[in-house]
C-alpha cells in the first residue's frame, strides 16, 4: 500500500501505560484510499452527541502513525494490526456509542503508624540493655513492618540504630554496651508510609549491674480499702526491697502528698503517719520505689469515715386509725461511707418523751402502728452507718393526731352482795399470869360487818375510861393493856363485841402474883 507504515512497538502494555507518549513526527499525508462501492455511507453524527473523550485532550499522533496504548487496554493487538498496514473498519455508530476507558482508582496514600507505647527497661547489666514497649494505638491500612530501636549517649545528639533488621517483637536486647554509660532510648515503628513518631524512654538509663530489683511488699490488711474514723491516728508501715538503696516517692490521687501527712523512708520500709485523720485524707496513695531505671508501684486506698448527717425532708404522709405513714430522703452527708439503716422515734405531745419504734430500718418509708387514741405524736428520723447514729435528726413538721371514736364503755353489772354478819371472835382470850408492878396486855381478834363496837369488862363490870387501862381496836385486833398491876387487878376479863347483826364475847382469867425476894444470911442471924 502507498504511504509510510506505522512503526511496531515492542514494549508491554504496562510499560506503555507508565511511559508518557512522545510527540508524533511530521509525515506526509497518506493518499486517500477510495472506498468500495458496496460500503454503506457513513451516517452523520447527531448534533447533541456527547464528546468521545471526557479527559484532558492531548496531542494525538500524526496520520498513518499508531496512537500510544492507553492504560488497561491491549496495546500489542493494536500494534500488530498497524504493523501489517491494515486499518480496521469500524462502523460510525459503534465508534459513537463506545465509551472511553475509565482510569483505575489510585490506592490510598501510605500513612505511618502512631508512636509505640509505654517504652520501658526490662533488664540491664554491665554490657547489655533490654527494652520493651507496646504496640502503637493506631496502625492504619498500611500495616506494620517492624520496629527500630535507637539510642544515644547522654550529652550527644547522634542517634544510633541498635539492630540491622526490623524487630518483629516488642522486646529487644542491645548488647556490647560500655559500663557506666548513660543512654537515651527510643523506639520507632516502620511501615510503607515511613517512620512513626518515636516512643521515648522517660529518663536515661545507667548501664550497670543492679544488685536487687525494687519490690514493694504490701501488707495483707492494706491490699483492701483501709478504713479509719475521723480523729483516729494512722500509722502504716510498707516494707520494700532493692539494692542499691531505692528512691521512694508518694502521690495522692496523682498529686503530691499534703504536708500534714508525714512520710518517713528508710532503706527497707516507708511509713505514713497522720496524727489526727480527717475526711480530706481519704484517697488513693501511690508508692513508687525506684532503682535506676527499674521501679515498682503499689497503691493503698485510705478511707476516713464519720457519722452521717441527718435525713432530709421527713414528711408525715397520712394518718388513719391508730397508724401514721412517714417518708424521708437519704442524708446529703453519708459520712464518707454507706448508709446502713435508719432509727425512727415518736413522742407524745403531752409528755414530750422520745421512744424508739424502729431501729436499723433500711427503707425510706415506714408505717408507725399501735398509737394511742386521742393523743398527738411527732416523729423524728436518725441515719446510721458503720460509725454510728447521726448526731442530729430530722423532725416532722406536721403532727399525727389519733382521733377518738364513738365507742362508749359500759361496765358489766354485778348483783350487790350482802356482807353483813354478826360479830365472831376468830382468836379468843387466853388465861395469863402477871407479876405485880409489870405491865401486861390481853389480846384477841374479832370480825363482823358492820364493824362491831368493842367493850372490856372486869368481873362483869365495864371498865370504861379508867386510866389504869388502855383499850385499842385496829383492823379487828382488840387489846387491853394493864399498867403496873397489883394484887387487886386479878380476876376475869371479858371482851364483848356488838353490831346490828348480833353480839359475841370471850373471857379469860388474870392472876397477879407477888414476887418474894430471898433473905440474905446476915439478915437471918439478926
Amino acid at each position: 500500500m502507498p504511504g509510510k507504515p506505522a512503526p511496531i512497538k515492542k514494549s508491554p502494555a504496562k510499560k506503555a501505560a507508565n511511559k508518557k507518549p512522545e510527540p508524533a513526527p511530521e509525515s506526509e499525508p497518506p493518499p486517500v484510499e477510495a472506498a468500495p462501492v458496496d460500503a454503506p455511507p457513513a451516517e452523520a453524527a447527531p448534533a447533541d452527541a456527547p464528546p468521545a473523550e471526557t479527559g484532558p485532550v492531548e496531542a494525538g499522533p500524526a496520520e498513518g502513525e499508531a496512537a500510544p496504548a492507553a492504560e488497561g487496554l491491549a496495546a500489542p493487538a493494536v500494534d500488530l494490526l498497524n504493523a501489517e498496514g491494515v486499518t480496521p473498519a469500524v462502523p460510525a455508530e459503534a465508534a459513537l456509542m463506545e465509551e472511553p476507558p475509565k482510569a483505575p482508582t489510585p490506592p490510598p496514600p501510605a500513612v505511618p503508624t502512631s508512636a509505640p507505647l509505654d517504652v520501658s527497661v526490662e533488664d540491664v547489666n554491665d554490657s547489655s540493655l533490654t527494652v520493651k514497649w507496646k504496640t502503637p494505638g493506631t496502625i492504619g491500612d498500611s500495616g506494620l513492618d517492624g520496629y527500630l530501636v535507637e539510642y544515644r549517649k547522654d550529652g550527644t545528639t547522634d542517634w544510633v540504630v541498635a539492630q540491622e533488621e526490623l524487630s518483629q517483637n516488642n522486646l529487644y536486647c542491645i548488647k556490647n554496651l560500655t559500663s557506666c554509660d548513660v543512654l537515651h532510648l527510643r523506639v520507632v515503628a516502620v511501615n510503607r508510609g515511613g517512620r512513626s513518631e518515636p516512643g521515648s524512654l522517660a529518663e536515661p538509663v545507667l548501664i550497670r549491674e543492679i544488685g536487687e530489683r525494687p519490690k514493694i511488699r504490701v501488707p495483707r490488711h492494706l491490699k483492701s480499702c483501709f478504713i479509719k474514723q475521723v480523729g483516729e491516728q494512722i500509722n502504716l508501715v510498707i516494707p520494700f526491697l532493692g539494692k542499691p538503696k531505692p528512691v521512694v516517692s508518694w502521690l495522692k490521687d496523682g498529686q503530691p502528698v499534703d504536708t500534714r501527712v508525714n512520710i518517713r523512708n528508710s532503706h527497707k520500709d516507708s511509713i505514713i503517719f497522720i496524727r489526727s485523720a480527717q475526711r480530706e485524707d481519704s484517697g488513693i496513695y501511690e508508692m513508687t520505689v525506684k532503682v535506676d531505671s527499674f521501679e515498682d508501684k503499689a497503691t493503698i486506698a485510705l478511707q476516713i469515715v464519720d457519722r452521717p448527717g441527718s435525713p432530709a425532708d421527713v414528711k408525715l404522709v397520712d394518718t388513719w386509725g391508730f397508724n401514721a405513714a412517714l417518708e424521708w430522703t437519704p442524708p446529703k452527708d453519708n459520712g464518707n461511707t454507706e448508709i446502713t439503716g435508719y432509727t425512727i422515734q415518736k413522742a407524745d405531745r403531752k409528755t414530750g418523751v422520745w421512744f424508739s419504734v424502729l431501729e436499723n430500718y433500711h427503707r425510706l418509708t415506714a408505717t408507725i402502728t399501735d398509737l394511742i387514741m386521742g393523743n398527738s405524736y411527732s416523729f423524728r428520723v436518725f441515719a446510721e452507718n458503720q460509725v454510728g447514729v447521726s448526731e442530729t435528726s430530722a423532725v416532722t413538721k406536721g403532727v399525727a393526731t389519733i382521733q377518738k371514736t364513738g365507742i362508749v364503755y359500759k361496765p358489766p353489772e354485778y348483783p350487790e352482795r350482802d356482807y353483813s354478819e354478826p360479830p365472831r371472835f376468830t382468836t379468843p382470850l387466853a388465861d395469863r399470869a402477871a407479876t405485880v408492878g409489870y405491865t401486861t396486855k390481853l389480846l384477841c381478834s374479832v370480825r363482823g360487818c358492820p364493824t362491831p363496837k368493842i367493850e372490856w369488862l372486869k368481873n362483869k363490870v365495864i371498865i370504861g375510861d379508867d386510866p389504869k387501862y388502855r383499850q385499842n381496836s385496829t383492823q379487828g385486833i382488840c387489846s387491853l393493856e394493864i399498867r403496873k398491876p397489883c394484887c387487886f387487878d386479878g380476876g376475869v376479863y371479858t371482851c364483848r363485841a356488838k353490831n346490828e347483826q348480833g353480839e359475841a364475847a370471850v373471857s379469860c382469867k388474870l392472876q397477879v402474883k407477888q414476887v418474894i425476894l430471898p433473905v440474905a444470911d446476915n439478915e437471918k442471924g439478926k
Side-chain angles (χ1 to χ4, degrees):
M1 293 178 64
K4 187 178 181 180
I8 300 174
K9 295 183 179 181
K10 299 181 181 181
S11 60
K14 184 175 180 181
K15 293 183 178 180
N18 296 332
K19 185 176 180 182
K20 294 183 179 180
E22 298 178 357
E26 297 182 359
S27 59
E28 298 179 359
V32 178
E33 186 175 358
V37 179
D38 299 336
E43 296 182 3
D48 57 349
E53 296 179 1
T54 58
V57 178
E58 297 181 357
E63 287 187 44
E65 191 172 357
E71 292 184 10
L73 299 179
V78 179
D79 292 343
L80 290 175
L81 290 175
N82 292 338
E84 295 178 0
V86 179
T87 302
V90 180
E93 294 181 358
L96 293 175
M97 297 179 61
E98 184 179 1
E99 295 181 358
K102 295 182 179 180
T105 304
V111 179
T113 69
S114 60
L117 304 175
D118 298 339
V119 180
S120 61
V121 175
E122 176 70 13
D123 191 14
V124 65
N125 54 35
D126 290 339
S127 61
S128 65
L129 171 65
T130 303
V131 61
K132 65 178 181 179
W133 61 91
K134 291 184 179 179
T135 305
T138 304
I139 295 179
D141 298 334
S142 301
L144 178 63
D145 296 339
Y147 301 95
L148 284 178
V149 179
E150 299 175 345
Y151 67 91
R152 68 176 177 86
K153 292 185 179 181
D154 191 22
T156 64
T157 58
D158 297 332
W159 290 92
V160 179
V161 180
Q163 76 267 40
E164 297 179 357
E165 298 182 357
L166 295 178
S167 174
Q168 303 299 325
N169 299 324
N170 291 33
L171 185 73
Y172 186 77
C173 179
I174 306 174
K175 299 181 180 179
N176 300 324
L177 298 176
T178 304
S179 179
C180 297
D181 280 353
V182 179
L183 301 182
H184 296 263
L185 289 174
R186 69 182 185 184
V187 181
V188 179
V190 181
N191 65 359
R192 289 188 303 157
R195 294 163 55 95
S196 69
E197 291 292 330
S200 302
L201 197 64
E203 296 180 0
V205 183
L206 176 62
I207 306 301
R208 68 170 179 176
E209 187 73 28
I210 301 299
E212 185 175 11
R213 292 192 181 186
K215 178 66 177 177
I216 302 175
R217 309 178 70 89
V218 181
R220 180 176 299 178
H221 68 282
L222 296 180
K223 292 183 178 179
S224 58
C225 186
F226 187 72
I227 301 176
K228 281 287 186 179
Q229 295 186 19
V230 171
E232 291 186 344
Q233 180 177 295
I234 297 176
N235 190 11
L236 305 180
V237 180
I238 301 94
F240 57 82
L241 303 175
K243 289 182 181 180
K245 182 180 179 180
V247 177
V248 183
S249 60
W250 284 91
L251 294 176
K252 176 181 178 289
D253 297 330
Q255 301 296 327
V257 180
D258 197 293
T259 54
R260 61 186 307 275
V261 179
N262 298 319
I263 297 178
R264 304 170 186 173
N265 299 322
S266 67
H267 67 282
K268 63 179 180 179
D269 57 31
S270 182
I271 300 174
I272 293 182
F273 178 76
I274 304 176
R275 188 175 302 278
S276 179
Q278 300 299 325
R279 293 269 290 275
E280 55 269 21
D281 295 329
S282 302
I284 303 299
Y285 290 78
E286 182 181 21
M287 176 183 178
T288 303
V289 177
K290 190 171 183 180
V291 177
D292 290 348
S293 57
F294 295 97
E295 66 179 14
D296 190 19
K297 295 184 178 180
T299 57
I300 297 174
L302 186 60
Q303 183 178 2
I304 309 301
V305 298
D306 196 3
R307 290 187 178 187
S310 62
D313 299 333
V314 179
K315 297 179 181 179
L316 179 63
V317 179
D318 193 11
T319 302
W320 73 98
F322 303 98
N323 310 308
L326 305 175
E327 69 177 11
W328 60 90
T329 55
K332 296 180 180 179
D333 181 13
N334 62 358
N336 202 25
T337 184
E338 183 182 0
I339 298 296
T340 58
Y342 300 92
T343 297
I344 299 94
Q345 294 182 346
K346 67 176 181 180
D348 189 345
R349 296 300 295 272
K350 295 179 180 178
T351 61
V353 180
W354 292 96
F355 296 94
S356 296
V357 292
L358 293 173
E359 293 181 351
N360 198 22
Y361 187 76
H362 298 284
R363 298 181 181 178
L364 297 177
T365 59
T367 300
I368 311 302
T369 60
D370 299 333
L371 301 178
I372 299 176
M373 181 174 54
N375 290 358
S376 297
Y377 293 90
S378 295
F379 302 93
R380 65 183 182 183
V381 182
F382 294 86
E384 302 177 16
N385 62 8
Q386 63 179 353
V387 180
V389 181
S390 61
E391 296 181 356
T392 59
S393 63
V395 184
T396 56
K397 296 180 180 178
V399 177
T401 302
I402 307 303
Q403 300 294 337
K404 292 183 179 180
T405 59
I407 300 176
V408 178
Y409 177 72
K410 294 182 179 180
E413 296 181 359
Y414 299 100
E416 294 184 2
R417 182 179 176 183
D418 187 9
Y419 292 97
S420 300
E421 64 173 331
R424 180 172 61 87
F425 284 92
T426 56
T427 302
L429 293 173
D431 296 341
R432 292 182 63 85
T435 304
V436 174
Y438 291 91
T439 302
T440 186
K441 183 183 289 189
L442 303 178
L443 295 170
C444 65
S445 62
V446 66
R447 61 176 295 175
C449 187
T451 303
K453 180 181 179 181
I454 304 301
E455 293 179 339
W456 286 93
L457 297 86
K458 176 187 177 185
N459 298 327
K460 298 182 181 182
V461 177
I462 297 176
I463 295 176
D465 296 332
D466 190 342
K468 188 177 182 63
Y469 302 95
R470 179 184 292 176
Q471 304 177 30
N472 189 16
S473 177
T474 304
Q475 300 291 328
I477 305 300
C478 305
S479 65
L480 177 64
E481 182 179 350
I482 305 171
R483 298 178 178 180
K484 296 181 179 182
C486 61
C487 297
F488 301 100
D489 291 328
V492 177
Y493 287 84
T494 302
C495 180
R496 184 168 59 191
K498 295 180 181 181
N499 66 3
E500 299 174 357
Q501 302 298 323
E503 180 182 339
V506 290
S507 301
C508 70
K509 291 182 179 181
L510 177 62
Q511 183 180 3
V512 181
K513 298 180 179 180
Q514 179 70 37
V515 178
I516 300 174
L517 298 176
V519 181
D521 293 342
N522 55 358
E523 293 181 356
K524 289 181 180 180
K526 292 180 180 179

